[in-house]
Amino acid sequence: MLGAIDLNLLRIFNAIMTERNVTRAAAALHMTQPAVSNAINRLRLTLKDPLFVKVPGGVLPTQRAELLWPPIRDALARIADTLERNDFEPARSEAVFRLSMSDYVADQVIRPLFVQQQTVAPNIRIHLHPYSLDNAGQMLEKGEVDMAAGVYSNLGSSLRTLPLETLTYVCAMRKGHPLLSQSRLTLDNFLRARHLMVSLLGVSSLVDHELAAHGYRRNVVLTVNQFSLAPRLLAETDLICVLPHNAVRNSPYNHLLEAVEAPFPFAPRTVNLIWHERSDDIPAHRWLREEILTVCQAQGMQFEQTKKPQPPGLDSHS
């Protein structure tokens, strides 16, 4: 079977599996769309399987294609690693990186990284994929993304981590908010206030789980799935929101907001960059990890070991 296959077809197959779209795969390969279509038709005949079916917005792999992809993808990565091990040049590289992270992390990391790399590595491509705390590990295991960044726990033994930032939380609201007229924000008033919750999946957030563990529940009246929406919503309403301090400080609406200490001591959390162990020694991936860490350090996002604060007692509502 192997002798009947042009190995270049496997590279094209890998690109289509990655992009799930023939046009985007052709662009990534610097080929025309007809050439990519002709190549995949040849592979279909050889493997006696349709491999892909057309769906709105792209293509959907068949079950056979899904089974074939992991070993083909990993073999191509090992070949690329062997050829590039001592010859990775960012200025000439056309590497494609697939990353999964929230809009908060993307704003803190990818935006300054890509601006900086326009001159250092002008031909690299970065694709951000849908993200949640629940699916990032699985996407890395399957090879659907190269790296992810977020607040993770219970990672599998095959995943590697690099701490990027310690998140500290504040309670944010608009300037002139009625709660700011008090000498301090009490826990009772905090829980009764109208809250904005940021949840990527629309379910209870880490903040709510932490409150619930001590018998508390806040009054959430609006849930959004993007951190970038929160500052503007706070500036235009009487909602309050528990957010990472940098999400407020680095927002264009910062001048309209006040960030105060929450009456409940939310534990700091660590944002980690994670990747699969098979990518440890891929030069392009190693370079990108180092560049991401450099960007974080330049922005003052260094990781710090922090002691978890103690929550107030159940009778400390005021």
Side-chain angles (χ1 to χ4, degrees):
M1 173 66 76
L2 182 60
I5 296 179
D6 178 351
L7 295 184
N8 191 51
L9 300 182
L10 300 184
R11 188 172 67 95
I12 295 171
F13 169 78
N14 181 60
I16 298 175
M17 287 295 295
T18 299
E19 300 292 345
R20 306 297 165 105
N21 182 285
V22 174
T23 301
R24 289 198 299 267
L29 293 164
H30 300 291
M31 297 174 64
T32 65
Q33 182 174 338
V36 169
S37 297
N38 288 337
I40 211 64
N41 283 335
R42 289 169 56 197
L43 190 60
R44 283 171 170 146
L45 292 172
T46 302
L47 298 178
K48 297 180 175 59
D49 188 88
L51 298 177
F52 303 98
V53 294
K54 290 183 179 180
V55 295
V59 294
L60 183 69
T62 64
Q63 185 177 13
R64 178 101 190 271
E66 291 282 13
L67 291 172
L68 289 170
W69 190 35
I72 289 174
R73 179 196 59 229
D74 292 347
L76 290 173
R78 286 194 295 273
I79 292 170
D81 182 26
T82 301
L83 296 175
E84 297 178 2
R85 187 173 296 277
N86 299 311
D87 192 33
F88 177 69
E89 299 180 31
R92 299 175 59 186
S93 175
E94 297 182 356
V96 178
F97 300 104
R98 301 160 300 157
L99 309 180
S100 177
M101 57 187 63
S102 70
D103 64 313
Y104 166 76
V105 181
D107 185 58
Q108 302 294 307
V109 175
I110 299 303
R111 180 182 51 80
L113 173 72
F114 198 78
V115 170
Q116 175 182 313
Q117 296 309 322
Q118 287 185 105
T119 54
V120 177
N123 297 316
I124 67 167
R125 297 174 178 82
I126 296 176
H127 299 313
L128 292 185
H129 287 241
Y131 161 91
S132 80
L133 291 176
D134 296 331
N135 69 10
Q138 185 179 30
M139 293 173 73
L140 287 164
E141 291 283 359
K142 291 182 176 180
E144 294 173 355
V145 297
D146 301 311
M147 302 173 206
V151 179
Y152 300 103
S153 60
N154 302 320
L155 293 172
S157 60
S158 62
L159 300 180
R160 303 289 181 258
T161 67
L162 176 68
L164 299 179
E165 178 186 11
T166 298
L167 297 179
T168 56
Y169 292 84
V170 296
C171 182
M173 63 194 78
R174 68 172 178 83
K175 289 185 175 180
H177 193 288
L179 288 178
L180 294 174
S181 63
Q182 304 172 4
S183 58
R184 66 187 181 92
L185 178 60
T186 67
L187 185 55
D188 269 336
N189 287 337
F190 170 81
L191 295 174
R192 284 198 301 261
R194 292 164 58 82
H195 281 254
L196 168 66
M197 178 175 74
V198 181
S199 170
L200 301 179
L201 293 178
V203 297
S204 295
S205 68
L206 293 174
V207 165
D208 295 279
H209 286 303
E210 195 167 351
L211 285 169
H214 297 280
Y216 302 138
R217 182 178 179 180
R218 58 179 177 161
N219 177 29
V220 175
V221 299
L222 178 61
T223 302
V224 297
N225 64 352
Q226 297 178 36
F227 283 93
S228 58
L229 289 175
R232 181 172 181 176
L233 283 167
L234 295 177
E236 296 177 348
T237 68
D238 277 341
L239 297 176
I240 69 172
C241 186
V242 177
L243 291 169
H245 192 195
N246 277 344
V248 181
R249 183 172 58 192
N250 297 336
S251 165
Y253 299 94
N254 178 46
H255 64 291
L256 300 174
L257 302 175
E258 291 283 354
V260 301
E261 184 179 357
F264 184 93
F266 295 103
R269 295 180 174 87
T270 300
V271 174
N272 284 300
L273 183 68
I274 64 173
W275 64 94
H276 197 276
E277 62 184 359
R278 63 175 169 264
S279 302
D280 271 347
D281 295 324
I282 296 178
H285 289 206
R286 189 167 58 243
W287 169 82
L288 183 63
R289 294 194 298 265
E290 292 170 355
E291 291 300 309
I292 288 174
L293 182 60
T294 298
V295 165
C296 292
Q297 291 173 338
Q299 296 195 128
M301 295 168 59
Q302 292 96 331
F303 166 71
E304 297 177 2
Q305 290 286 355
T306 53
K307 183 178 180 181
K308 184 174 181 177
Q310 296 299 311
L314 292 179
D315 58 348
S316 302
H317 278 223
S318 59

